Each structure stands twice: as C-alpha cells, then as structure tokens.
Amino acid sequence: MDTQQKLTRWRLILGAQTDSEFQKLDPDFKLDRRSLALDAALAAVYGGIGEAAGSGAGLGPSHPQITKWLKDIRSLFDPDLVKVIQQDAIERKGWKQLLMEPELLEQLEPDLEMASVLLTLKDLIPAKSKDQARAYIRKIVELINRQLASQLQRCVHAALAKQEHSPLSSAAAIDFPYTVRKNLKHYSPALQTIVPERVYFFDRKQKSNRWHVILDIDQSGSMSSSILYSSVTACILASMNAVRTHVVAFDTTIVDLSELCSDPVELLYGFQLGGGTDIHKSVKYCEQLIEEPNKTIFFLISDLDEGGNHAGLLHRLQAMKESGVTVICLLAIQDGGKPYYNQDMAQRVANLAIPCFACTPQRLPELLQAVFQKQDLARFG
C-alpha cells in the first residue's frame, strides 16, 4: 500500500474535520471521486463535517436523500458491510424506534419517501412490526390508486373503444346492449320496436388477442418511488380485460412478478431494492414474452445506469422497436417527482427514436391513452 492509499484510508477513518491535518502532512493530498462518495456515505451515519459544523447533516426518517444514500452504500460497499451500515443507521439516526414500535408506524401520515424507505429496509423490520409496515405501505398504495385508477381505466377504455367491435356477422357475438344504445334513434312507432341500422358484434379475435403491456422495472435503490407508482399502475392494468400485463423486476438478476399483480402490496414486497444493474439481461428476457409485436407495449422503467452490456442493450431495444413493439423508456423519479437518470445513456436511447422521458405519475393515464392510440409522444418529453 503506497503513501497516498494509507493517507486516504486514515482520512476516511478520521473524517472530514481532519482535512487540515492531512494537508500539513501532504499539501497535494486530496480524496479522489470514489473516496469522496465513500466519505459522504459514511459521514451521513457516523458523523462528518456537516454534523461537526452543526448543520444537522445525516439521515433523519424523512430526509429526502435517504433512498439515494441507500443506493450509494450498496454500490460502494460489500453486501456484508451494507448490512452493518444500515443497522448502524437504524441505531444512530432514529430509525430503530420507528421500525421497532408498531404504534409509531400506525401513527405515521402517508408519505411516499417513508414508504420507499420501509420497502428498502423491509428485511430488517422485526416480526412484531411487519404487519404495521405493510399496513402503512398499503395506505400509500390506496392513495396512489385513488389518484390514478379511475382516470387510467377511463383513458385506456377510451383508447381501445374503437377496437372492441367487429364488422363480421355472428349471432353469438352480437353486443345487444351496445346495439340498442346506438340505434335508439331508429325506433319505429308503427312497429313499436327498434329497427337497427347497424348491428354491433364483439370481435372475438380482438378479445383473445389483447394488448400486451410489459413493465420492465429496475429495482436498484434509487428506483423506489418509481416502483411504487409502477406497481399500482401494473395492478390496475392487470384488472382490465382488454390488457394483458407482465411485470419483470431486475438488478443483476431477473424476477417475473406477474403472478402478484392481483395485489399491489404483495407486488411491491416482491421487489428486492438494491444491487447492481444489468438492463441488457432483463430486456433479453422480456423479448421472450413478446408474441405479437404490433400489439405489445414495452416500458423500460429505469435510471439507465447500466452496469451490463451497453452496446447490447441499445441493439436489443432497437431490434425490439423495429419488430413492431412500441418501446418507451420511463426514467426514474424521486424526491417529489424529480427525474434521476444517466443522461448519456438516455440520449443514446433517444437517438434510436425511442421516447425517453421522466413522466410524472399524474400523466401516466394520458401517456397510456396516447400510446394505445398511436399518438405522437413528443409532448411528454
């Protein structure tokens, strides 16, 4: 170990308040970029220049940067050390009382950031508090559901309405209620009945050949807010007969969570927040789910901080798009709806003529309607 490495190690151990002493030892000494990230992550829990100066730095339960910090420690430290640091954060920063006392969880007001933290730390929550933690997360789910459900269903139904009837005649496929409503103006007083000008039939091929929506969701630590909205959206879509829904979660591994779409809380608990990111591997898996490209909508929901094969990822996205699949990249949102993503990779994806933008949750219904109707998505940029 050379002198620079030794100084760096001791500086990280002793903290930022000793910077002046290290400058005396070596006027040219400074931490590199990775060491600065390590120092900030450790200082948030064990103290540092922010706390020494009395600025209140650290990670209180409602700190807006908590999810970013959780992702940072996973990228900087080995898994065993991550567990130690998280446990120390719980002990030192007031999380222990929150996680240990069911009564406190019951009193908490619904907060998206807090729900994200609870999901990230769900494996550390003691048994006696697990039910309350689930109940708290369900409050958030119900809040999001109230915001999105009716508008999302209305927008999707409106987009698909023109595709639910067929000109092909089949007595067994007559849509009697719709036919009556559409022909009320053709009521004959003489015959005392409706003489339909047109009879409407259900398109059975269409019903067996529904739209297929695939949500490929990055489950790295910074994605927790996006995952909450994505999960609720997936469950709403899964409840609609006109749409078939797949949900895939990935970091460096891939988990198909589609069977959990009947309950958004169970779906959320299926995510394992943290770890690396291999988007290429996940897109490759999702390709196997595609049966009819021209009736498939593929949402890649990620911060695009790819740790796998960059060129392979771009190639697969382009090939998927050229096959007829509608491909859309939704960038990560956090801290009250702010976008968080790798700008270089986002630009490279956009250069493939694939819409790539941070869509606020409130615009998801409008976005889906535009996608189903094959509208120009430029206004969402």
Side-chain angles (χ1 to χ4, degrees):
M1 183 182 297
D2 62 25
T3 302
Q4 178 73 15
Q5 290 175 318
K6 290 179 180 178
L7 288 174
T8 296
R9 175 168 290 191
W10 277 107
R11 162 60 183 78
L12 291 174
I13 292 171
L14 297 173
Q17 61 269 28
T18 62
D19 274 341
S20 59
E21 300 301 319
F22 281 91
Q23 287 295 317
K24 293 176 183 177
L25 291 172
D26 182 355
D28 296 324
F29 172 76
K30 63 180 180 179
L31 296 178
D32 59 25
R33 184 175 179 180
R34 184 175 186 279
S35 296
L36 284 169
L38 282 166
D39 188 47
L42 293 171
V45 178
Y46 303 105
I49 191 168
E51 290 187 347
S55 66
L59 297 169
S62 62
H63 197 288
Q65 294 299 323
I66 248 179
T67 50
K68 182 179 183 302
W69 175 81
L70 287 166
K71 180 189 178 184
D72 288 344
I73 64 169
R74 284 183 168 88
S75 66
L76 293 168
F77 299 99
D78 292 334
D80 289 343
L81 282 176
V82 169
K83 292 179 182 178
V84 172
I85 295 170
Q86 282 186 165
Q87 193 62 50
D88 284 348
I90 290 170
E91 296 281 350
R92 290 168 173 258
K93 296 302 174 182
W95 297 357
K96 182 177 181 180
Q97 187 179 14
L98 173 69
L99 298 178
M100 292 290 289
E101 299 299 331
E103 295 79 7
L104 283 179
L105 285 171
E106 290 175 347
Q107 295 172 18
L108 281 176
E109 289 298 316
D111 177 79
L112 186 64
E113 202 65 37
M114 179 55 67
S116 300
V117 172
L118 288 175
L119 282 172
T120 305
L121 300 174
K122 63 181 185 293
D123 295 332
L124 298 176
I125 297 174
K128 69 175 183 179
S129 298
K130 286 187 181 295
D131 289 344
Q132 283 73 20
R134 277 180 176 266
Y136 181 80
I137 291 170
R138 189 169 291 281
K139 289 180 185 177
I140 296 293
V141 166
E142 291 172 352
L143 181 63
I144 296 173
N145 193 65
R146 286 197 298 271
Q147 293 173 348
L148 296 181
S150 60
Q151 186 184 358
L152 183 58
Q153 291 170 344
R154 185 169 60 251
C155 286
V156 173
H157 281 307
L160 300 179
K162 294 181 180 179
Q163 302 174 24
E164 290 198 1
H165 293 95
S166 168
L168 300 177
S169 300
S170 171
I174 295 176
D175 182 351
F176 286 100
Y178 192 82
T179 297
V180 170
R181 288 198 304 273
K182 282 292 188 178
N183 288 280
L184 286 174
K185 61 183 178 181
H186 301 300
Y187 178 78
S188 169
L191 298 175
Q192 296 187 341
T193 189
I194 294 172
V195 180
E197 184 178 82
R198 177 182 172 186
V199 177
Y200 293 84
F201 302 86
F202 286 116
D203 186 344
R204 293 191 169 190
K205 181 181 178 182
Q206 173 68 27
K207 286 192 174 292
S208 63
N209 190 19
R210 298 171 294 174
W211 278 89
H212 185 193
V213 175
I214 302 172
L215 293 98
D216 192 21
I217 305 174
D218 186 343
Q219 60 178 358
S220 60
S222 64
M223 295 296 300
S224 50
S225 295
S226 295
I227 286 172
L228 280 160
Y229 281 103
S230 300
S231 295
V232 175
T233 300
C235 291
I236 295 170
L237 289 172
S239 71
M240 302 173 68
N241 291 330
V243 181
R244 184 162 58 99
T245 308
H246 267 96
V247 177
V248 175
F250 70 90
D251 41 38
T252 53
T253 60
I254 300 164
V255 183
D256 195 321
L257 301 174
S258 304
E259 292 184 357
L260 301 178
C261 282
S262 60
D263 185 337
V265 176
E266 290 301 319
L267 180 57
L268 284 167
Y269 266 76
F271 286 92
Q272 298 296 323
L273 290 168
T277 309
D278 193 336
I279 309 172
H280 172 256
K281 183 192 294 185
S282 184
V283 173
K284 181 179 179 181
Y285 171 82
C286 290
E287 286 177 334
Q288 305 172 46
L289 304 175
I290 299 170
E291 297 175 0
E292 295 183 84
N294 64 335
K295 296 195 69 63
T296 300
I297 303 169
F298 176 75
F299 285 102
L300 173 60
I301 304 171
S302 175
D303 58 11
L304 294 180
D305 197 7
E306 171 69 307
N309 186 338
H310 290 69
L313 168 61
L314 294 169
H315 175 74
R316 288 191 180 278
L317 289 175
Q318 183 175 23
M320 188 183 288
K321 179 179 183 297
E322 290 176 351
S323 74
V325 175
T326 301
V327 181
I328 298 168
C329 180
L330 293 180
L331 302 168
I333 54 170
Q334 62 177 17
D335 300 343
K338 298 177 183 176
Y340 175 84
Y341 61 96
N342 184 310
Q343 295 186 8
D344 176 64
M345 182 56 76
Q347 184 60 59
R348 294 170 72 182
V349 172
N351 289 343
L352 301 176
I354 293 174
C356 186
F357 41 73
C359 178
T360 60
Q362 291 73 22
R363 300 195 71 187
L364 277 173
E366 181 187 356
L367 170 64
L368 275 169
Q369 182 174 2
V371 171
F372 282 123
Q373 292 181 334
K374 303 287 188 180
Q375 295 178 11
D376 182 7
L377 302 180
R379 70 179 186 275
F380 291 94

